[in-house]
Amino acid sequence: MKYLALVLFCLWVISEVLAAQEAASESFAERLVAAANHRTTLTVRYDPAYVVLDYPGGDVPPDTGVCTDEVIRAYRALGIDLQKLVHEDMKATFSAYPKLWGLKRPDKNIDHRRVPNLETLFRRSGAEIKEGSEFLPGDLVTWDLNGNGLWHIGMVVDDDTFVHNIGGGPVLTKGIRQWKVLGHFRFQPEGR
């Protein structure tokens, strides 16, 4: 009887811990979606120019940016600096990152603003979601827009709707599968 009570107590504790973890995860996703949705209320001119940035916490001017900048800014609103995370991971494991731009070493000004580098960070962090899985609010999706390596990224806000900047500033768009999906990620750094 003592053992049964102990087992039941342990099961109750485990269920409480799991419920708390799930609530924290949902809270993170909700905050991330709110930050992404807020981005759609701002005027941002599409501008892919290389800009020398502060480090850490550097950002291009607030009225400019590309698709990656919307993701970067949504995460930054939650205190997560993708510039720093990408740069530190690239410094530690430069060979794990794509060699598409002829770089010989990491560049803290641009590396986090490139979709393939974000994909690499997310994969290396264990954030990749199995192909065919449901898209949930806060998930990140990467696409090939034209079948020739024109990369793009956006954040799921509900069902089939996502926030992205494809040239006209941050907007909500329906149709996650309208382009070839390259990656699906649920990136939540530990402790968030």
Side-chain angles (χ1 to χ4, degrees):
M1 195 65 160
K2 289 181 190 177
Y3 293 114
L4 179 59
L6 181 59
V7 167
L8 290 174
F9 176 74
C10 288
L11 289 173
W12 175 79
V13 168
I14 290 169
S15 70
E16 289 296 309
V17 168
L18 291 174
Q21 288 175 338
E22 185 177 334
S25 177
E26 289 171 356
S27 174
F28 177 84
E30 289 170 359
R31 290 183 294 134
L32 193 57
V33 166
N37 276 327
H38 173 70
R39 300 290 316 148
T40 67
T41 68
L42 305 172
T43 301
V44 176
R45 179 178 44 86
Y46 194 89
D47 185 352
Y50 181 94
V51 178
V52 175
L53 303 176
D54 291 337
Y55 178 83
D59 196 4
V60 296
D63 63 338
T64 67
V66 295
C67 61
T68 52
D69 294 310
E70 297 312 318
V71 171
I72 291 162
R73 289 166 173 158
Y75 272 90
R76 189 162 284 147
L78 275 61
I80 298 166
D81 187 351
L82 290 174
Q83 177 197 30
K84 184 177 179 184
L85 291 174
V86 169
H87 185 66
E88 287 179 358
D89 196 49
M90 284 186 83
K91 278 190 348 186
T93 57
F94 188 70
S95 64
Y97 281 79
K99 304 296 179 265
L100 303 168
W101 303 279
L103 296 176
K104 304 281 189 251
R105 64 183 184 283
D107 182 343
K108 66 185 182 300
N109 298 302
I110 191 71
D111 290 334
H112 64 295
R113 298 184 69 212
R114 292 178 165 151
V115 173
N117 288 342
L118 287 176
E119 288 177 315
T120 300
L121 174 71
F122 300 150
R123 283 189 181 102
R124 290 179 44 75
S125 300
E128 189 165 26
I129 302 299
K130 187 177 84 169
E131 188 176 337
S133 296
E134 179 182 6
F135 293 101
L136 299 177
D139 285 0
L140 301 165
V141 181
T142 59
W143 297 273
D144 180 349
L145 297 180
N146 65 3
N148 281 332
L150 181 57
W151 297 287
H152 189 56
I153 190 168
M155 183 178 298
V156 178
V157 295
D158 64 36
D159 300 328
D160 196 32
T161 307
F162 57 98
V163 170
H164 67 133
N165 181 351
I166 198 164
V171 295
L172 281 169
T173 301
K174 281 203 171 292
I176 289 172
R177 296 193 184 279
Q178 64 185 291
W179 304 296
K180 180 182 178 189
V181 173
L182 296 176
H184 177 190
F185 307 94
R186 198 165 292 143
F187 183 67
Q188 179 179 342
E190 288 189 31
R192 296 295 173 160

